[in-house]
Amino acid sequence: MTAARTVESEIIVIGAGIAGASVAAELAQQAKVSLLEMESQPGYHTTGRSAAIFVPSYGPPSIRALTRASAAAFLDPVSTLGVDRLLSPRPVLMMARGDQLESLDKLKEEVAANTPIQDLTASQVEDLNPLLRPGYAAAGILDVDSYDIDVDALHQAYLRKFKSNSGRLFTNARVEGIAKAAADWQVETSAGTHRAPIIINAAGAWVDDINTMAGLAAIGLVPKRRTMIVVDPPAGFDIASLPMTADVDEQFYIKPEAGQLVLSPADETPSPPCDAQPEELDIAIGIDRIEKAFNFPITRPKSSWAGLRSFVADGVPVVGFADPSNSFFILAGQGGYGIQTCPALARLAAALVTGKAIPPDIVDQGLVISELSPDRLNCPHKDPVRS
Ligand SMILES: Cc1cc2nc3c(=O)[nH]c(=O)nc-3n(C[C@H](O)[C@H](O)[C@H](O)COP(=O)(O)OP(=O)(O)OC[C@H]3O[C@@H](n4cnc5c(N)ncnc54)[C@H](O)[C@@H]3O)c2cc1C
């Protein structure tokens, strides 16, 4: 019997969701990259379960900066990713009841400088979404630069770009052991052994499991389950041009998708990393919140799904080397924004991994790179496991 061959690369990326696929695609142009994915289908976990929205006014300042720096790639995908179209217009209406006006004012103040938004009166809110109960909303804002994202097309485009630059994708390759062997990392998977001097940990909800496997400190990542519910639209009502409509305190949102309405209670229940499934209680809460705000009957959900949005304590992504020898890089904690920010995050991570200058269009958005570094989390450095 011959021993299984060890695959040698310059960079190993763990996880082929949107984070791993996009950074691997950026790096394959400059280095020999292997992309390891435990599932048979990249995108099976969080990437394939999102609400698929690009919203410039959403998230903390660093996310909004990364979203702005990602807009060009989404708006001109032919030159960046070789696909015709990734976005379709879908304005986002953030609305407030009378008791939520303070939250709306705070949001306006935060986003006004960088995001074109329209102020809305109660009657303008109702005109934009006639399904709302009359009198429910007291005011709102409209983010007119928001879009539906074709997430599958985006993910596949990055995987194609990766492979066309000789990147190698290994599916059904669950990483089970990581150790330092001389200058290289040796990575044992369910489908064979890989070696490379640099690892990028882009394992989504499993990032801390991978860190721990390598003998490095956990970053305190908390996966949080979010539930999505598909319901029939009211009979005879054309929903296609409705805005995505969200509660300003993120208690719920609803949007049209492929002729159905998709709604969410915007739940954030901490969960271990897993194949997340929707819970009956969250479905019931979601429907109840929507029925309080909207004036159409929901008989029973047509289908539902759940996914994990993963955050560290400050809600800002973690992008940078985690070990003193700059050989183990983390790309994690994208929360509920990992699709809309992936073009900028991938270019930023690729520049940091290769020691190149950060692309100026990212710096110009006012992003403070040190605020993304794992160093800010004060995780104690540990010595990697040695084989
Ligand atoms: C309900 C919901 C709505 C969302 N809506 C939006 C939205 O509208 N807009 C937006 O921008 N973002 C949204 N997000 C967030 C976005 O989906 C995530 O930020 C993004 O998908 C994270 O990508 P990822 O590659 O880090 O994770 P994942 O897609 O989970 O990829 C990680 C990969 O690592 C693999 N892996 C893990 N462990 C191992 C191992 N040991 N060996 C090998 N492989 C391993 C997994 O199999 C997985 O494929 C939403 C998320 C959810 C759940």
Side-chain angles (χ1 to χ4, degrees), residues 14-19 36-39 45-47 49-53 173-175 202-204 206 210 226 228 307-309 334-340:
I14 302 175
I18 199 70
L36 310 183
E37 169 55 50
M38 67 179 174
E39 303 291 351
H45 290 288
T46 304
T47 295
R49 305 177 190 209
S50 84
I53 276 275
R174 177 191 297 270
V175 173
W206 287 265
I210 298 291
R226 175 154 291 187
M228 306 290 288
L308 299 176
R309 301 155 81 246
Q334 299 90 336
Y337 329 98
I339 311 290
Q340 67 181 46

Side-chain angles (χ1 to χ4, degrees), residues 23-316:
V23 73
E26 293 299 336
L27 285 165
Q29 300 171 89
Q30 323 163 43
K32 202 171 160 191
V33 184
S34 291
L35 178 57
L36 310 183
E37 169 55 50
M38 67 179 174
E39 303 291 351
S40 57
Q41 288 298 323
Y44 176 76
H45 290 288
T46 304
T47 295
R49 305 177 190 209
S50 84
I53 276 275
F54 179 95
V55 192
S57 58
Y58 192 34
S62 57
I63 290 293
R64 294 202 294 267
L66 286 161
T67 304
R68 291 194 297 277
S70 297
F74 279 112
L75 291 166
D76 181 15
V78 176
S79 56
T80 48
L81 286 165
V83 278
D84 288 342
R85 191 182 164 100
L86 290 171
L87 300 180
S88 316
R90 175 74 58 205
V92 170
L93 165 58
M94 303 290 292
M95 61 169 182
R97 296 184 306 265
D99 60 322
Q100 294 176 304
L101 291 173
E102 219 174 286
S103 302
L104 192 69
D105 285 342
K106 189 163 167 272
L107 178 63
K108 276 196 278 194
E109 208 176 292
E110 280 172 19
V111 302
N114 295 308
T115 315
I117 50 166
Q118 287 173 12
D119 259 320
L120 301 170
T121 62
S123 68
Q124 287 170 321
V125 171
E126 282 171 22
D127 287 348
L128 277 165
N129 194 331
L131 294 178
L132 275 165
R133 285 191 186 280
Y136 178 87
I141 58 171
L142 192 68
D143 186 336
V144 285
D145 272 351
S146 298
Y147 298 87
D148 285 332
I149 306 172
D150 186 338
V151 178
D152 185 53
L154 174 70
H155 194 200
Q156 293 305 323
Y158 274 121
L159 289 171
R160 264 196 313 278
K161 180 172 172 178
F162 172 63
K163 289 178 192 167
S164 71
N165 283 302
S166 308
R168 287 174 300 172
L169 169 65
F170 297 83
T171 51
N172 297 309
R174 177 191 297 270
V175 173
E176 295 172 339
I178 304 174
K180 263 272 162 132
D184 280 353
W185 291 100
Q186 179 150 321
V187 177
E188 303 298 341
T189 80
S190 51
T193 304
H194 292 256
R195 273 178 88 120
I198 294 177
I199 285 179
I200 298 178
N201 179 2
W206 287 265
V207 153
D208 270 341
D209 288 1
I210 298 291
N211 271 21
T212 308
M213 238 182 251
L216 296 168
I219 58 169
L221 193 75
V222 181
K224 296 182 178 177
R225 190 180 63 241
R226 175 154 291 187
T227 310
M228 306 290 288
I229 306 147
V230 182
V231 300
D232 276 326
F237 189 92
D238 180 13
I239 57 164
S241 59
L242 283 182
M244 173 170 173
T245 305
D247 171 72
V248 70
D249 290 324
E250 212 175 342
Q251 291 291 296
F252 60 81
Y253 57 80
I254 184 163
K255 64 171 279 210
E257 194 168 294
Q260 307 291 319
L261 287 169
V262 181
L263 59 99
S264 175
D267 43 336
E268 297 195 303
T269 312
S271 160
C274 64
D275 185 354
Q277 298 300 322
E279 303 264 327
E280 286 302 322
L281 182 61
D282 294 322
I283 294 174
I285 291 171
I287 291 176
D288 181 60
R289 289 181 183 171
I290 292 295
E291 283 186 330
K292 285 197 169 96
F294 294 84
N295 195 13
F296 69 94
I298 299 176
T299 41
R300 60 175 14 231
K302 292 194 75 166
S303 60
S304 57
W305 76 87
L308 299 176
R309 301 155 81 246
S310 297
F311 298 85
V312 292
D314 61 11
V316 172

